[in-house]
């Protein structure tokens, strides 16, 4: 498998920390110091389908493929307006593709899970060109009356087109059942047969606990994929770590004893965009021509589940 197209689309509204402190007991100083976030994009006039479609079209254009060349569409998403149809089905209609579609929910690791699924289908010879879209609006399941989670998140979408190739060196997926550290519970319709009254819940996050679990998991995953690929930390050109918190990315970098320029970040302008964070960053680095053909990338992500995932791949797109 190799990536041949990448694109992203962000909401138009830029929300600063000062805008949040107008209605929450928080401050620019607290948010920047604890997380590195200065601004984030939040859906207002547009919707998630529009962003996902825009990102998908940009990735297809970059790949030089038409929507009809796509054999399979995977959409990574944590929550959106629809229970059914799947977001991937809607995206298919919008971009005018004709391919089987599936949504996956691997929380923030969804994009790397998407790469793993695409790689398996390509290796099996079942599909050739696969579109992976990561479209997320975590701001829609945060509690906006409390300061603890909503300040951390932003919305956005990114897409990658992958095809037959040998760029993927190794990929590693994990889930361990820490279901209590991070969850969002949607309220479903009551039926006459339920004897308990189910309650919904906006995003609940045990930030301190998650910080430790996520940093340890990422370091373990990084060590694992490096070993699998017979590489050392120095052999990696760019570490694309899930943009959850600047301090978390820094902790991982310091453990690996690598220079800052190998750990690019955009959390300052995007916040945490869940599974869209790595492909949004990848697209940004591609457009800035930071990623050069032949560079080795290590991706590492972690989130609700608790899930974590990592992959090593060679960048094969022309500058
Ligand atoms: N503004 C001001 N003060 C705040 C805010 C806020 N927005 N939020 C919390 N505080 C206060 C707390 O009430 C607490 O006050 P107290 O000391 O008087 O009790 C104080 O700040 C410290 O709170 P902590 O939660 O201990 O702060 P911490 O340094 O741990 O930072 C944070 C919190 C940013 C959430 C951090 O723990 C973190 O990033 N955790 C990891 C989150 C994560 O892993 N996310 C990624 C996976 S999930 C996903 O991507 C979907």
């Amino acid at each position: 498998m190799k990536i041949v197209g990448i694109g992203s689309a962000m909401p138009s509204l830029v929300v600063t920390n000062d805008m949040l402190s107008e209605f929450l007991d928080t401050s620019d100083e607290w948010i920047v110091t604890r997380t590195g976030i200065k601004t984030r994009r939040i859906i207002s006039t547009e919707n998630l389908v529009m962003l996902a479609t825009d990102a998908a079209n940009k990735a297809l254009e970059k790949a030089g493929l038409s929507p009809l060349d796509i054999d399979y569409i995977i959409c990574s998403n944590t929550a959106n307006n629809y229970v059914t149809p799947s977001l991937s089905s809607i995206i298919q209609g919008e971009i005018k593709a004709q391919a089987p579609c599936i949504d996956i929910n691997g929380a923030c690791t969804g994009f790397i899970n998407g790469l793993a699924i695409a790689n398996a289908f390509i290796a099996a010879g079942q599909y050739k060109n696969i579109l992976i879209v990561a479209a997320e609006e975590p701001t829609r399941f945060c509690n906006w009356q409390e300061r603890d989670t909503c300040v951390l998140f932003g919305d956005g979408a990114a897409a990658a087109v992958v095809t037959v190739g040998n760029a993927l060196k190794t990929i590693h997926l994990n889930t361990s059942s820490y279901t209590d550290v991070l969850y969002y519970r949607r309220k479903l319709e009551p039926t006459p047969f339920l004897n308990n009254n189910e309650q919904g819940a906006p995003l609940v996050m045990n930030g301190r606990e998650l910080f430790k679990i996520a940093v340890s998991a990422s370091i373990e995953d990084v060590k694992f994929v490096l070993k699998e690929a017979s590489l050392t930390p120095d052999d990696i050109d760019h570490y694309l770590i899930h943009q959850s918190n600047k301090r978390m990315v820094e902790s991982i970098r310091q453990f690996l004893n690598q220079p800052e320029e190998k750990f690019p970040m955009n959390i300052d302008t995007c916040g945490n965009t869940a599974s869209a964070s790595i492909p949004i960053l990848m697209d940004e680095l591609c457009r800035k021509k930071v990623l050069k053909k032949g560079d080795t990338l290590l991706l590492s992500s972690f989130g609700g589940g608790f899930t974590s995932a990592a992959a090593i791949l060679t960048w094969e797109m022309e500058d």
Side-chain angles (χ1 to χ4, degrees), residues 101-173:
C101 299
I102 190 83
D103 279 13
I104 57 169
N105 181 348
C108 304
T109 64
F111 180 69
I112 301 180
N113 273 272
L115 288 177
I117 295 167
N119 183 53
F121 274 122
I122 290 171
Q126 186 157 353
Y127 300 128
K128 186 174 171 223
N129 302 319
I130 301 181
L131 174 67
I132 306 167
V133 184
E136 300 278 17
E137 47 183 347
T139 64
R140 298 297 301 277
F141 49 89
C142 291
N143 180 350
W144 285 87
Q145 271 75 53
E146 298 287 342
R147 63 186 181 179
D148 54 343
T149 55
C150 66
V151 302
L152 307 174
F153 293 95
D155 304 324
V161 177
V162 302
T163 192
V164 180
N166 284 317
L168 186 68
K169 303 304 168 209
T170 184
I171 198 155
H172 180 54
L173 311 174

Side-chain angles (χ1 to χ4, degrees), residues 25-26 30 34-35 108 147-148 151-153 182 205 207-208 210-211 214 242 244-245 247-248 272 302-303:
D25 180 16
T26 190
W30 190 95
R34 302 282 177 137
T35 71
C108 304
R147 63 186 181 179
D148 54 343
V151 302
L152 307 174
F153 293 95
L182 178 67
M205 186 170 89
R208 269 194 192 177
L210 207 53
F211 193 112
H242 173 42
S244 57
N245 184 322
R247 288 188 295 141
M248 294 167 84
N272 180 345
F302 36 81

Side-chain angles (χ1 to χ4, degrees), residues 174-227:
N174 286 304
T175 304
S176 41
S177 291
Y178 292 112
T179 47
D180 53 341
V181 288
L182 178 67
Y183 64 87
Y184 154 66
R185 198 165 53 221
R186 192 181 299 180
K187 191 171 184 308
L188 298 178
E189 291 300 314
T191 75
F193 311 105
L194 283 173
N195 52 18
N196 60 334
N197 196 6
E198 288 178 343
Q199 299 294 319
L203 191 75
V204 173
M205 186 170 89
N206 183 340
R208 269 194 192 177
E209 193 60 19
L210 207 53
F211 193 112
K212 288 182 273 181
I213 296 170
V215 170
S216 309
S218 177
I219 289 171
E220 285 309 308
D221 288 350
V222 169
K223 288 197 291 194
F224 185 94
V225 289
L226 284 172
K227 191 165 177 232

